[in-house]
Amino acid sequence: MTPSARPALAWIAAATTALGMLATAAAPALAASSVPAASTPAPSTSTAPTAAAGTQADPLDSPRWEDMRKSFFADATVVFDERVRVSGPAVAEDSLNVPVSVDASGLPAVEELIVFADFNPIVKALRFEPGAAQPRLGFRIKLQQSSPVRAAARTADGVWHVGGAWVTATGGGCTLPSVGSGSPEWQERLNEVNGKLWPRVDGGERLRMRIIHPMDTGLAAGIPAFHIEDIVITDAEGRTLSRIQPLEPVSENPSFTLDLRAAAPGARLHVAGRDNNGNRIDAWVTR
Amino acid sequence: MSRSASSAPALHRRPAVRALRSLLAGLLFALCTLLAISPPVHAEDFDYRLQPRELAPGAWVVVGLKEDFSFANGGNIVNTGFIVGSEGVIVIDTGSSKRYGEQMLAAIRRVTPLPIVLVVNTHQHPDHFLGNQAFPRATLAALPETIAAIRSEGEGFNANMYRLNGDWMRDTEVVVPERALAAGRQRIGGRDVELRALGGHTVADLVVIDHDSGTVYAADLLFHDRTPTTPHADIARWLAALDTLEGLPARRWVPGHGEPATDLAPLRQTRDYLGWLAQTIRAGAESGQDMTELFQTPIPPRFAGLALVNEEFRRSVVHLFPAAERAVLEAARAKASR
């Protein structure tokens, strides 16, 4: 059998899942408030009923929610909304690469989406301006420990709609050095974009891309924060289509999945951007 | 983020563990009374109740549960084995803890007083070597790649096993085998034994063939009615190793997890699942699926009998998808830049 390669990974999976399930039987009230996502081994797509988040309790019952609300939304209107879906594994097998998809396509006119994890040492993971893309994005993040992973979508009326899911992790994903920081490969290939387009049956275009970058958090001793901070996707005519602004918790060599509403003219897209040291990203992606 | 805030979920869980223990004890008691069977493990006295079975004269196996590591099973989820020759005993894997190793040695002693002449760790995973403490250090041996992997990753594995199995792990320490094994056929302990160095489940997977009885101890290259696990897997190499195994003159097979068999059922199951897994992940990457979409892949009904198939499939996606995705995206870039 087979624990993970990383020192402290989600082999806890099974135990936690079993504990969660049995705890539910033994002490329902306790389980409901302590290990929501761990109680099912299925991928979690957990959401919450719509309610004013200022007055309604956090459906994920995180002691950090009030801090999250204050720091991200200040005086804006915030609602928990099941139309904002966060999908990921209930248990993170690899705390350095926790796959997450956020989807707010059930909402009208999403202008901006942010993703954060309450218990990460760096809470905010990324910001996404969908523009000409569907308001949904796939990516991977580092998790320091079990945490709610939340997405908040701001609609044109200025209201923030919040959804999320618990992900169980034991990994120290944010305080480990990147693999890249210990190898020369990233220096030669830094900001190299490997991407591909797939036409979609709905007439749109899927973009998947992986960018070579260590995405160091600055929390590993002696390794400063070093991460991509801006990615702009434009079409062949130079029109800006969409924008992703990753932060430190996004995984090393980040990969993104996004769906543009229309087919790309000439079946190609341009990806431009930079990291926090000013190194440029500049590449074409084709089918 | 503050430490106190961060520890909140763990604090909440502790009473649940206690509740779980008593619930579990009650459940076990009720079950055992009802069904009049002996429990596989006994949490109160930390006794794994290891019961060696003699598959053929001198060829023994201790069969573990088809589960994941947990406090309830104490980590007894692995098959270990031993071969009793005319002059000594060969031990194949030492289990998941110091207690397991000690109880395994005691079980061997109930069968034979002959000296332990060789103890192999078939590969680097902790349920196969964390019982090493119980055996004479000079008898511990493994393939060179396995020794290196236990040396570099053993402590991390051990820490994780404490978290998963709790007090069953008490005093368990990593003992790295010092003797490097080479493939070959020889008399060991007065028995005609062949060592084969294969790989694919991990970087090196040792197969022990007891030619006197026709028993192949295939370790984790074979899973039987239990889903194969892949955190260090190279599926293509694993499938090639299965082809090699199929060519062996075997009368019985001991998988690393699941029941021993006298036919090729474990081999065919493992091959079928791994083939489907590799194809599913490759197809997902080639069609532009995201990892979270791939998680939703329906599991074919023919795998419904494999224990933990839903959980292990998702773990395998996490293990294997990044390389498949990378291959597709790098090929696309190479094409675009031509």
Side-chain angles (χ1 to χ4, degrees):
Chain A
M1 282 273 319
T2 51
S4 312
R6 292 280 179 179
L9 296 190
W11 265 79
I12 216 87
T16 314
T17 303
L19 282 179
M21 288 192 292
L22 281 154
T24 305
L30 174 75
S33 67
S34 60
V35 285
S39 61
T40 166
S44 50
T45 302
S46 154
T47 50
T50 302
T55 54
Q56 192 87 2
D58 170 22
L60 299 181
D61 195 28
S62 158
R64 294 273 288 155
W65 167 248
E66 203 43 36
D67 292 339
M68 300 295 107
R69 193 183 64 75
K70 282 179 194 148
S71 65
F72 289 117
F73 312 116
D75 298 324
T77 305
V78 185
V79 294
F80 293 115
D81 194 325
E82 62 187 13
R83 289 170 294 179
V84 178
R85 300 162 62 86
V86 174
S87 305
V91 177
E93 172 70 5
D94 177 353
S95 297
L96 293 169
N97 288 284
V98 181
V100 175
S101 290
V102 299
D103 184 352
S105 55
L107 288 172
V110 173
E111 297 190 336
E112 175 186 0
L113 236 151
I114 62 170
V115 177
F116 56 94
D118 298 20
F119 287 107
N120 252 0
I122 298 168
V123 172
K124 189 171 170 184
L126 63 79
R127 179 174 176 275
F128 174 43
E129 284 175 32
Q134 300 278 358
R136 58 180 183 236
L137 187 69
F139 51 94
R140 285 162 218 159
I141 61 170
K142 293 165 272 203
L143 273 186
Q144 184 72 5
Q145 60 178 322
S146 301
S147 176
V149 176
R150 304 185 199 257
R154 184 173 54 79
T155 42
D157 57 5
V159 174
W160 287 95
H161 304 258
V162 178
W166 271 90
V167 177
T168 298
T170 56
C174 287
T175 47
L176 290 169
S178 60
V179 177
S181 64
S183 87
E185 190 203 25
W186 68 261
Q187 298 178 2
E188 292 158 20
R189 297 177 65 190
L190 185 73
N191 287 342
E192 176 185 307
V193 178
N194 294 284
K196 184 172 163 67
L197 304 179
W198 283 265
R200 286 176 65 81
V201 287
D202 64 5
E205 194 95 52
R206 167 160 289 194
L207 165 63
R208 299 208 68 231
M209 61 179 169
R210 177 177 184 266
I211 306 176
I212 307 289
H213 203 287
M215 299 296 287
D216 275 305
T217 59
L219 301 176
I223 303 172
F226 183 39
H227 63 92
I228 298 169
E229 62 180 16
D230 197 30
I231 302 167
V232 177
I233 294 141
T234 54
D235 67 15
E237 279 117 49
R239 285 185 293 248
T240 297
L241 301 178
S242 198
R243 178 176 215 152
I244 305 167
Q245 294 178 305
L247 290 158
E248 294 92 330
V250 172
S251 297
E252 179 174 6
N253 301 328
S255 91
F256 298 100
T257 305
L258 79 164
D259 292 323
L260 295 150
R261 294 178 191 273
R268 60 190 204 137
L269 292 173
H270 188 249
V271 178
R274 60 164 194 281
D275 63 29
N276 65 334
N277 283 13
N279 301 298
R280 295 277 163 193
I281 297 166
D282 182 354
W284 286 96
V285 176
T286 68
R287 285 180 188 164
Chain B
M1 175 194 61
S2 75
R3 282 314 300 174
S4 56
S6 70
S7 61
L11 283 174
H12 285 179
R13 220 168 270 147
R14 266 179 215 145
V17 174
R18 261 185 244 120
L20 169 71
R21 281 190 202 183
S22 50
L23 174 76
L24 208 68
L27 270 176
L28 266 177
F29 180 78
L31 253 177
C32 298
T33 312
L34 262 172
L35 303 175
I37 53 161
S38 63
V41 293
H42 211 267
E44 266 81 55
D45 56 7
F46 296 102
D47 187 342
Y48 290 107
R49 302 284 195 270
L50 300 182
Q51 292 174 343
R53 280 154 47 182
E54 193 169 24
L55 299 174
W60 295 78
V61 63
V62 184
V63 177
L65 299 164
K66 291 179 293 191
E67 297 178 359
D68 256 330
F69 302 110
S70 68
F71 177 74
N73 61 39
N76 180 17
I77 57 134
V78 62
N79 295 346
T80 57
F82 55 98
I83 303 168
V84 182
S86 56
E87 295 155 22
V89 181
I90 303 161
V91 175
I92 299 147
D93 287 333
T94 59
S96 49
S97 67
K98 178 170 181 273
R99 290 186 208 266
Y100 187 105
E102 289 167 351
Q103 291 171 30
M104 185 185 182
L105 181 58
I108 293 171
R109 284 290 161 254
R110 290 196 292 273
V111 169
T112 174
L114 288 171
I116 308 290
V117 292
L118 177 68
V119 178
V120 302
N121 298 137
T122 57
H123 63 287
Q124 72 197 62
H125 289 151
D127 44 337
H128 299 262
F129 72 80
L130 282 177
N132 282 0
Q133 273 164 292
F135 295 93
R137 194 170 279 251
T139 64
L140 301 173
L143 292 170
E145 300 90 339
T146 302
I147 293 174
I150 293 174
R151 186 169 286 134
S152 64
E153 298 178 43
E155 292 299 339
F157 286 149
N158 195 25
N160 236 357
M161 291 287 274
Y162 271 80
R163 281 188 218 105
L164 294 165
N165 302 324
D167 208 22
W168 286 90
M169 301 303 297
R170 182 176 289 181
D171 297 331
T172 300
E173 291 169 12
V174 175
V175 179
V176 181
E178 284 163 16
R179 267 175 69 189
L181 291 170
R185 186 167 176 172
Q186 57 191 305
R187 292 201 77 77
I188 306 173
R191 194 90 169 180
D192 179 7
V193 170
E194 181 178 354
L195 305 177
R196 296 291 282 260
L198 300 174
H201 173 65
T202 64
V203 64
D205 295 289
L206 180 72
V207 173
V208 179
I209 307 166
D210 173 35
H211 281 288
D212 285 334
S213 71
T215 305
V216 177
Y217 292 88
D220 283 11
L221 289 174
L222 294 184
F223 283 70
H224 191 196
D225 295 336
R226 202 290 184 199
T227 312
T229 62
T230 59
H232 298 93
D234 173 338
I235 304 291
R237 197 170 163 224
W238 192 342
L239 289 169
L242 293 179
D243 291 343
T244 303
L245 286 182
E246 191 169 13
L248 296 177
R251 290 200 288 278
R252 57 190 64 76
W253 303 90
V254 180
H257 301 268
E259 277 293 310
T262 53
D263 59 19
L264 288 171
L267 195 150
R268 292 196 175 117
Q269 257 184 18
T270 305
R271 177 189 280 152
D272 188 17
Y273 178 78
L274 292 177
W276 171 78
L277 178 66
Q279 167 58 26
T280 299
I281 286 172
R282 188 167 50 240
E286 285 171 354
S287 65
Q289 278 192 294
D290 190 89
M291 224 193 240
T292 56
E293 293 166 335
L294 203 50
F295 283 155
Q296 310 298 333
T297 306
I299 310 285
R302 68 182 191 275
F303 300 129
L306 305 186
L308 300 171
V309 68
N310 292 308
E311 295 85 347
E312 293 299 350
F313 170 68
R314 290 189 200 107
R315 281 183 188 151
S316 290
V317 168
V318 175
H319 303 147
L320 303 172
F321 185 75
E325 161 191 86
R326 183 175 169 174
V328 167
L329 297 179
E330 289 188 352
R333 176 174 180 269
K335 189 176 139 216
S337 59
R338 267 205 304 272

